[in-house]
Amino acid sequence: MADETIGIVGAGILGLATGREIALRRPGTRVVVLEKEPQVAVHQTGHNSGVVHAGIYYAPGSLKADLCVRGVSILREYCQERGLPYAEIGKLVVAVREDELGRMESLYERARNNHVPELRKVSKEEIGELEPNAGGIAALHSPRTAITDYPAIAREFAKDIEAAGGEVRLGFPVTSLTDVPGGIEVASAQDRVRVDRLVLCAGLHSDSVARLAQDRKEPRIIPFRGEYMLLKPERTDLVRGLIYPVPDPRYPFLGVHFTPRVDGSVEVGPNAVLALAREGYRRSRVSLRDLAGLAAYPGSWRMAAQHWRTGIREYRGSLSMSAFMKDAELYVPGVGVSDVVRGGAGVRAQALDPDGTLVDDFRIHRVGRITAVRNAPSPAATASMAIAEHLVDGLFADVSAN
């Protein structure tokens, strides 16, 4: 119904894209976005690397594949329309060992099935033409892979919501969700809002907020901190575009890579280490509550049993710049500790099933009038506008059927 109120929990890029999509598609609907922080895009969106993924990595037919490819095109148009940064600097996915060539070939076929535009295989000599300082024996080149500024996009989405008569209410940490006649009451310690329907885009806290909605406990969110080095300003000319490794299909992480940013800086990273707090952007940040939750969840121990060797290697890179850069110099030989300084870090909200499986695809649950996004890691920023379309399609499917 056009006069209803739709609530969104979470003012990251996905929550704001969803609020914007509702406001545009359903004129007269009041959108209220509720965010616990004093500004939008504080967490995953605000610590994003800025890459607009082309859809190379994702299983054909998955939500990630379909929504990433769709998301790229509408995000590009939006950035061009609003004068937001969007630069197609291209990406090389580089094989440095013979045993990676088979995986690279599989990745190429996957990308073709996903209709990644203009992707091609390149030889060692062609790598040198595209990236004179890069190593490797073969690569895939995706010239349409881009970089952007996701916090700026999120802020623009917020403006769109407010221009359509909606509200982005900051400083509203959700403490309870209560069914009331014809709707849901969303409460913080100081305030209450009644909505007809609710969409949960709570990122790092998506499982705990979903439990307030009586959704099932699994999957749980396991926070992984990704730490970056920054090339010193005088060394940023070492790379022209994005340089990535061939990913290990056992993990949802893409490995240490080189990422130019729209501000001219170049990041090297990230690693992937278990964070000791959901908002653990620093190694020193520890939450006893979050640790207790990890320890009590059987999936945590099953994950550790499967991947402890990788975990030790990642922690070694976290503690030692030399170990961290050892991986990086495979892709840009000669780059080393003297060329970088420690940069920032992000925390990935990675969903984990009880059997210890790291959830790869986007996962969305529906509980009555509530839609809960339970897993939306990379490429969720790239796909944000397409995920919003998907969520809103489901949100109003019952209306369309009547």
Side-chain angles (χ1 to χ4, degrees):
M1 295 173 57
D3 58 350
E4 64 183 348
T5 298
I6 308 295
I8 313 285
V9 175
I13 194 168
L14 181 53
L16 293 166
T18 302
R20 174 185 178 274
E21 181 68 19
I22 294 167
L24 294 179
R25 196 185 299 192
R26 307 283 294 187
T29 298
R30 180 170 176 259
V31 174
V32 181
V33 181
L34 305 170
E35 169 57 48
K36 73 184 182 71
E37 302 293 350
Q39 60 190 48
V40 304
V42 167
H43 292 293
Q44 291 185 103
T45 304
H47 294 82
N48 193 287
S49 66
V51 177
V52 182
H53 293 281
I56 295 172
Y57 306 104
Y58 317 118
S62 66
L63 281 176
K64 274 191 175 183
D66 294 345
L67 298 180
C68 180
V69 172
R70 165 67 178 158
V72 170
S73 63
I74 51 180
L75 186 73
R76 182 194 307 115
E77 289 179 13
Y78 185 81
C79 289
Q80 291 170 347
E81 175 189 318
R82 299 302 176 93
L84 295 167
Y86 192 97
E88 291 183 343
I89 62 172
K91 174 195 285 187
L92 281 176
V93 181
V94 179
V96 295
R97 300 187 306 271
E98 292 286 339
D99 62 4
E100 293 179 326
L101 294 177
R103 278 191 279 144
M104 192 182 80
E105 183 64 30
S106 297
L107 200 64
Y108 177 71
E109 293 302 322
R110 173 172 285 195
R112 287 187 63 194
N113 286 332
N114 290 341
H115 307 291
V116 174
E118 301 175 33
L119 185 78
R120 65 188 182 96
K121 302 175 188 177
V122 297
S123 65
K124 181 177 181 178
E125 292 71 29
E126 290 174 296
I127 291 173
E129 294 171 7
L130 293 165
E131 290 283 358
N133 298 301
I137 58 175
L140 303 179
H141 183 225
S142 171
R144 302 296 296 276
T145 297
I147 56 174
T148 190
D149 183 340
Y150 286 116
I153 294 170
R155 291 190 292 271
E156 198 71 13
F157 287 166
K159 292 177 185 177
D160 291 342
I161 292 169
E162 291 169 339
E167 179 183 4
V168 179
R169 190 175 299 188
L170 304 173
F172 193 109
V174 173
T175 56
S176 69
L177 303 174
T178 306
D179 285 331
V180 295
I184 305 142
E185 185 179 79
V186 187
S188 71
Q190 288 82 32
D191 204 357
R192 296 173 186 275
V193 176
R194 186 202 172 281
V195 300
D196 295 283
R197 305 175 197 226
L198 187 65
V199 182
L200 307 180
C201 299
L204 289 162
H205 301 278
S206 60
D207 54 349
S208 56
V209 174
R211 285 199 296 274
L212 297 177
Q214 308 303 311
D215 192 12
R216 56 185 179 268
K217 294 180 180 179
E218 289 80 22
R220 300 283 184 87
I221 291 299
I222 305 298
F224 282 92
R225 186 174 62 254
E227 300 161 330
Y228 290 89
M229 303 293 173
L230 282 172
L231 286 180
K232 292 178 179 178
E234 64 270 22
R235 300 294 277 162
T236 56
D237 59 356
L238 282 171
V239 299
R240 296 175 176 174
L242 298 146
I243 303 175
Y244 277 60
V246 177
D248 187 329
R250 294 174 297 172
Y251 305 106
F253 312 109
L254 297 179
V256 169
H257 46 269
F258 290 79
T259 308
R261 302 295 301 263
V262 294
D263 64 3
S265 64
V266 177
E267 291 181 331
V268 186
N271 56 7
V273 297
L274 188 66
L276 303 182
R278 293 200 183 213
E279 298 174 14
Y281 301 105
R282 301 185 306 276
R283 286 197 295 269
S284 59
R285 176 74 185 274
V286 179
S287 166
L288 295 179
R289 179 179 180 178
D290 291 347
L291 284 177
L294 283 172
Y297 184 46
S300 301
W301 298 100
R302 292 174 181 137
M303 176 190 70
Q306 296 172 43
H307 304 304
W308 63 271
R309 290 182 180 85
T310 299
I312 290 173
R313 180 168 59 83
E314 293 291 319
Y315 269 108
R316 187 181 298 124
S318 175
L319 297 171
S320 166
M321 290 179 69
S322 296
F324 189 105
M325 293 305 296
K326 187 175 181 180
D327 285 340
E329 66 182 351
L330 293 172
Y331 302 94
V332 180
V335 70
V337 172
S338 63
D339 300 304
V340 297
V341 295
R342 286 196 179 273
V347 179
R348 174 188 176 115
Q350 175 61 53
L352 182 70
D353 276 333
D355 64 359
T357 300
L358 296 162
V359 179
D360 185 49
D361 204 3
F362 301 144
R363 191 173 290 185
I364 299 162
H365 294 177
R366 291 188 171 87
V367 183
R369 293 172 175 268
I370 298 175
T371 301
V373 178
R374 297 296 299 266
N375 191 55
S378 179
T382 298
S384 57
M385 298 179 79
I387 299 172
E389 291 178 339
H390 179 78
L391 290 171
V392 177
D393 286 344
L395 195 66
F396 294 112
D398 56 337
V399 177
S400 300
N402 291 332

